[in-house]
Amino acid sequence: MTSQPTTSCRRFVGKVALVTASTAGIGLATAERLLQEGATVIICSRSQANVDAALASLRSRGHAAAVSGVAANINTPTGVDTALAAVAAAVPDRARAGGPFLDVLVSNAAANPVAGPALAAPDSAVAKVLDANIAAHLRLVRAAVPVLTKGAAVVLVASITAFRPELAPISLYAVSKTGLVALSRVLATELAPRGVRVNCVAPGTVATKFASALVGSESAREEAEGRTLLGRLGSAAEI
């Protein structure tokens, strides 16, 4: 697990956060930073084994009282319901009060089943990427709206490829992330009257397992590093 920078910030004391795809990489680093700043955090992944391993790691680092997890496929309506039910179970007093109970929603899940030119992608891959990387985020936010507190923050995690898709060997993924940036703007407009903020983070290349298509070889990594101002890749903790 990537080491987090120490912080004295406590901006999330008393806040409740759900972070999807949060058992590794950027999602796990995000969950730990929220924990460090005082939030109650629910992590989420499809695999119960991955959830258990991430919980064990976080608890070993001093976050036992504030973190719980749920195995749920966030790309399905049932999985979304399961994840939100886990949030309610983590803060029963707030949930029983009948009002909104979720202060932070970080929608980080993504899929990339195919690399190479978009024109070569089979229809099944096109459907999966667009559903997982755009539609699933919309379904999650839509389902969460009734439980989002006034002043809540929604963060959608996109990618730098949204702005430079022509440079990506994962062209279809880049197209979907461009769509996610647009979705964040739409949701920000629609949720602003409720007092909910929506923002989109577009990380540069981070050397996670998910990014192996971008940095899987030494030459690919060097090329990715050469496109950055600092001459290095970012870390999950930095995001």
Side-chain angles (χ1 to χ4, degrees):
M1 179 176 179
T2 303
S3 177
Q4 282 275 0
T6 57
T7 177
S8 60
C9 294
R10 301 287 290 173
R11 295 170 293 180
F12 293 93
V13 173
K15 303 296 185 181
V16 178
L18 170 64
V19 185
T20 68
S22 48
T23 58
I26 292 172
L28 182 56
T30 300
E32 184 170 18
R33 180 56 183 257
L34 288 165
L35 286 164
Q36 287 177 338
E37 295 208 25
T40 295
V41 178
I42 297 85
I43 64 171
C44 176
S45 174
R46 294 186 184 192
S47 165
Q48 184 65 58
N50 289 347
V51 170
D52 292 343
L55 286 175
S57 177
L58 290 169
R59 287 168 177 165
S60 72
R61 296 159 74 90
H63 304 301
V67 64
S68 58
V70 59
N73 181 356
I74 214 71
N75 292 336
T76 68
T78 299
V80 168
D81 291 343
T82 298
L84 293 176
V87 178
V91 287
D93 291 343
R94 289 184 63 172
R96 276 197 299 267
F101 53 80
L102 182 58
D103 303 295
V104 180
L105 173 61
V106 181
S107 190
N108 178 55
N112 180 43
V114 61
L119 287 173
D123 287 348
S124 59
V126 174
K128 181 174 182 177
V129 169
L130 296 182
D131 183 72
N133 296 354
I134 302 176
H137 293 264
L138 174 59
R139 288 194 296 267
L140 174 60
V141 175
R142 184 172 59 204
V145 165
V147 298
L148 290 173
T149 59
K150 185 174 183 180
V154 174
V155 179
L156 308 184
V157 181
S159 164
I160 192 63
T161 61
F163 302 99
R164 299 300 303 275
E166 73 280 5
L167 296 179
I170 45 176
S171 302
L172 189 59
Y173 175 85
V175 169
S176 71
K177 290 301 187 175
T178 303
L180 188 60
V181 172
L183 177 62
S184 70
R185 291 173 171 169
V186 168
L187 293 176
T189 300
E190 295 186 3
L191 291 179
R194 295 175 173 265
V196 173
R197 295 175 293 111
V198 180
N199 286 282
C200 186
V201 177
T205 304
V206 177
T208 63
K209 181 179 179 181
F210 188 83
S212 59
L214 295 176
V215 294
S217 67
E218 184 176 351
S219 61
R221 186 184 182 104
E222 289 176 353
E223 182 179 353
E225 291 173 338
R227 291 198 295 265
T228 70
L229 295 177
L230 295 178
R232 66 171 178 82
L233 303 184
S235 72
E238 288 174 318
I239 308 304

